[in-house]
Amino acid sequence: MLAVSGVRKTFDLKHSKKKTPGPLDPREEGSQFHALRKVDFSVPQGTILGLLGANGAGKTTLMRILGTSLKPSAGSVKLAGFDSVRDANEVRKRVGFLSGTTGLYNNLDAHELLRFCGRMYGLSGAALEARIGALFDELEIGEFAHRRIGTLSAGMKQRVSIARSLVHSPDFIIFDEPTTGLDVPTAQIVLNHIERCRQAHKSVIFSTHHMHEVEKLCDQVLLIHKGLVRFHGTPAQMKAQTGCMHLDDAYLSITGERSAPAKAHANVFAHAQALEVVEA
């Protein structure tokens, strides 16, 4: 189980020149920028949590803290009882992290890369080869497994990146926008694999801007807006809380980014529904 308690992250601001006039970002206080403020949530085993928020909301900062590449300014992150700061090496053994900046070695092929990464986690011999074979089957990598990575398409590289993140069979997996830029068939391969992770009783956090992915896969939703948790619950609860039929409308309602015409249309729709109930 992942338990996040009171996590905050603050960065020092360096004002090299006078700021242009405009509204002050509420996360800026003097010489500090509060990227995250008191984030609390938990993810049980076998749960998929969708991490939502606009670009710059604090999602990447949170994921880096969960993956131990950043330390929180306050609060704690515990995975299977291990503290992300005090027991960072133990946490890393149990985490698979895919981000948009996950590096690949273009002169290697996929099989060579996974063999190299697997050995870094202490795997070897038949066990490592079996693990690589299983990932190649699940992510449909076999047909290009021995081509240099530098010659692969974006979708092929993404599948190799996912395999690299999972070669050590982690119990907790972080996917940062894993389907961005992928065609429909490749995105479906990725989403199917995330579903299999849940079936294997692994915990998954994945950030996405595609609400249909959240509705299809997620048991929980965590919505971060300007460093604050604005919602944590199920997709159904998120729609019920806002009275919206669609998750994207619920998102906009919670973050306050819903336009006035959209709100007016929603009010008209709700009024029409009420009239139908009265007439019935």
Side-chain angles (χ1 to χ4, degrees), residues 22-42:
L24 181 70
D25 190 315
R27 292 169 291 180
E28 291 187 23
E29 293 181 1
S31 62
Q32 292 189 317
F33 182 82
H34 299 271
L36 294 173
R37 295 180 185 265
K38 200 177 182 300
V39 175
D40 297 282
F41 68 98
S42 62

Side-chain angles (χ1 to χ4, degrees), residues 115-187:
R115 186 184 292 155
F116 171 72
C117 293
R119 287 172 177 168
M120 291 177 62
Y121 284 101
L123 301 174
S124 62
L128 175 56
E129 293 302 319
R131 179 59 181 160
I132 292 173
L135 287 169
F136 281 2
D137 288 343
E138 292 173 11
L139 293 166
E140 300 183 23
I141 292 173
E143 64 182 15
F144 54 86
H146 297 290
R147 286 174 50 186
R148 289 183 183 272
I149 291 171
T151 69
L152 302 180
S153 69
M156 292 173 179
K157 287 180 179 179
Q158 184 72 327
R159 282 184 262 173
V160 174
S161 292
I162 292 172
R164 172 184 175 168
S165 302
L166 302 177
V167 69
H168 56 303
S169 299
D171 293 325
F172 181 74
I173 304 157
I174 303 169
F175 289 137
D176 187 2
E177 299 185 17
T179 62
T180 297
L182 301 185
D183 59 29
V184 173
T186 304

Side-chain angles (χ1 to χ4, degrees), residues 58-71:
K59 303 189 305 298
T60 298
T61 297
L62 175 59
M63 287 186 287
R64 288 177 177 172
I65 289 173
L66 300 180
T68 75
S69 60
L70 274 181
K71 293 181 180 180

